[in-house]
Amino acid sequence: MNSADFHNKSFIFLLLLVSAGLIVILLPFYGAVFWGVILSILFTPLYRQLLVKTNNRKNLAALGTLTACIIIVILPLIIIASSLVHEGATLFQKVKSGEINPALYTQEILDAAPAPIHRVLERVGLTDVKSFQDKLSQIAMQGSQLLATKALSIGQNTFQFVVGFAVMLYLMFFLLRDGTTLSMRVKQAIPLSAEHKRHLFNKFTTVIRATVKGNILVAITQGALGGLIFWILGIQAALLWAVIMAFLSLLPAVGASLIWAPVAIYFLATGALWQGITLIAFGVFVIGLVDNILRPILVGKDTKLPDYVVLISTLGGMAVFGLNGFVIGPLIAALFITMWDIFSTSRPLDRG
């Protein structure tokens, strides 16, 4: 081995070593770093507009963009989260006091079920309301203990959350200000052709904007509409169900119907026909069509991954990375498909 090869391999080894060390150091704040990058990508167009209006004052434009992000994204999330905690606690107290009785609601549905379904339920022991209520109480007790544990954990990690939040905003400021220079240096460091790098970076930003901007706005709209119809029909904890429906709307093929469909069935089974029919019609023709109408406008038809890829990658990403996985999963899947597409199209064919 000559001296040049030895030096090159030693340098690559040290490069990988210090890169792995940096990853380990940043790992406790990977969520803050991740969302700092995501939000900076989403708000870069606004930053560029402010840069023109401020006569190319980068610090002022970045600070203005950061302020807009706090007002548009962060403050509404804090308000919704506080309202959600209050409404969830109120609902729990009503269930605990017996004002809301899930076992009674379930028994009403069981009593209204057709005879064949009733016989099947009898075989599995689901028609005994007392037994069901005991099981429900046991689940409620376990849930309350879990919530208490989580609340204690959140209290203990408050300082870490505040630090992570500050890191995200701090990083976002510099990514907005120096993002163009940093992206150019990253592109230069990647050992690929200019065409491949352009394709990969375009795909990266497209998937980020499609997943975050498009999917989240669609989910918020579907959740808001679901919460509105629940509030109109007088269903308890409409805000809580709206947030759950918005979260489920991130998953294609299933979505908000996992919440409103059982409620509609309950209405129909208990004789509340107009409420059930109204909820089904609103769910199918309003909530259900939001995805088909808004997503092509916000995302674009040519940028959307197949629904089965989005569903599997989202579920897998959330299983591995938690809540951040709803972005990380589809992003990795999209980059995987893009890399294999580049490999298959650039690889010379065997002539045999």
Side-chain angles (χ1 to χ4, degrees):
M1 181 183 297
N2 58 44
S3 178
D5 290 339
F6 177 75
H7 289 164
N8 288 335
K9 291 181 179 180
S10 299
F11 178 78
I12 292 175
F13 173 76
L14 290 175
L15 177 64
L16 294 175
L17 187 63
V18 296
S19 299
L22 181 63
I23 292 174
V24 172
I25 291 173
L26 296 179
L27 199 57
F29 298 102
Y30 95 93
V33 174
F34 176 75
W35 282 105
V37 174
I38 298 299
L39 291 175
S40 64
I41 291 174
L42 293 178
F43 281 87
T44 293
L46 176 61
Y47 167 75
R48 290 173 179 169
Q49 294 179 8
L50 292 178
L51 195 61
V52 174
K53 294 181 179 180
T54 56
N55 295 322
N56 206 33
R57 297 177 182 175
K58 293 184 177 181
N59 288 333
L60 185 59
L63 185 60
T65 306
L66 198 62
T67 304
C69 176
I70 293 173
I71 295 173
I72 296 172
V73 177
I74 297 173
L75 285 181
L77 285 176
I78 293 174
I79 294 173
I80 292 175
S82 60
S83 301
L84 184 63
V85 169
H86 178 267
E87 190 159 323
T90 302
L91 179 64
F92 178 77
Q93 290 298 326
K94 288 183 178 181
V95 173
K96 188 176 180 181
S97 65
E99 183 179 348
I100 297 177
N101 191 343
L104 180 60
Y105 301 152
T106 304
Q107 187 62 39
E108 292 176 354
I109 297 177
L110 295 176
D111 292 340
I117 296 179
H118 201 67
R119 286 194 293 269
V120 173
L121 293 175
E122 284 180 344
R123 293 176 184 175
V124 295
L126 291 179
T127 56
D128 183 4
V129 67
K130 181 63 172 61
S131 174
F132 180 82
Q133 196 164 8
D134 291 341
K135 292 179 181 179
L136 188 65
S137 299
Q138 183 180 2
I139 293 173
M141 288 297 295
Q142 293 175 350
S144 63
Q145 293 174 359
L146 178 63
L147 289 175
T149 303
K150 291 296 183 182
L152 180 60
S153 176
I154 291 172
Q156 293 173 341
N157 295 328
T158 300
F159 177 75
Q160 184 177 357
F161 172 79
V162 172
V163 173
F165 184 74
V167 169
M168 182 192 73
L169 295 179
Y170 185 77
L171 178 63
M172 183 181 171
F173 174 84
F174 287 101
L175 288 176
L176 287 168
R177 193 190 69 175
D178 306 324
T180 302
T181 303
L182 289 173
S183 64
M184 289 179 61
R185 295 190 66 177
V186 171
K187 287 180 181 179
Q188 291 174 355
I190 296 177
L192 294 174
S193 68
E195 179 64 21
H196 290 169
K197 287 189 284 188
R198 183 190 64 80
H199 192 40
L200 277 177
F201 272 75
N202 288 342
K203 192 67 174 180
F204 179 83
T205 55
T206 296
V207 172
I208 290 295
R209 287 171 180 159
T211 304
V212 180
K213 182 189 72 175
N215 291 352
I216 287 184
L217 287 179
V218 169
I220 290 174
T221 303
Q222 290 184 320
L225 291 172
L228 176 63
I229 192 63
F230 272 34
W231 177 74
I232 292 173
L233 296 176
I235 298 172
Q236 297 281 347
L239 177 62
L240 176 63
W241 297 120
V243 173
I244 295 175
M245 281 188 279
F247 179 76
L248 291 175
S249 295
L250 295 171
L251 302 176
V254 287
S257 61
L258 288 176
I259 300 299
W260 63 257
V263 177
I265 293 173
Y266 168 77
F267 280 141
L268 296 176
T270 56
L273 296 180
W274 76 267
Q275 291 96 329
I277 294 173
T278 300
L279 185 54
I280 291 175
F282 192 88
V284 173
F285 296 108
V286 178
I287 299 176
L289 290 181
V290 164
D291 187 76
N292 295 327
I293 296 174
L294 284 185
R295 198 178 299 276
I297 297 174
L298 297 172
V299 180
K301 294 181 180 179
D302 57 339
T303 62
K304 183 183 177 184
L305 291 171
D307 283 346
Y308 64 90
V309 175
V310 176
L311 177 61
I312 297 173
S313 61
T314 301
L315 292 174
M318 293 178 69
V320 176
F321 299 102
L323 186 59
N324 297 327
F326 85 90
V327 177
I328 299 176
L331 176 61
I332 293 176
L335 293 178
F336 171 83
I337 294 173
T338 303
M339 290 293 291
W340 276 99
D341 181 61
I342 291 174
F343 177 75
S344 62
T345 55
S346 62
R347 184 182 182 185
L349 295 176
D350 294 333
R351 294 298 179 181

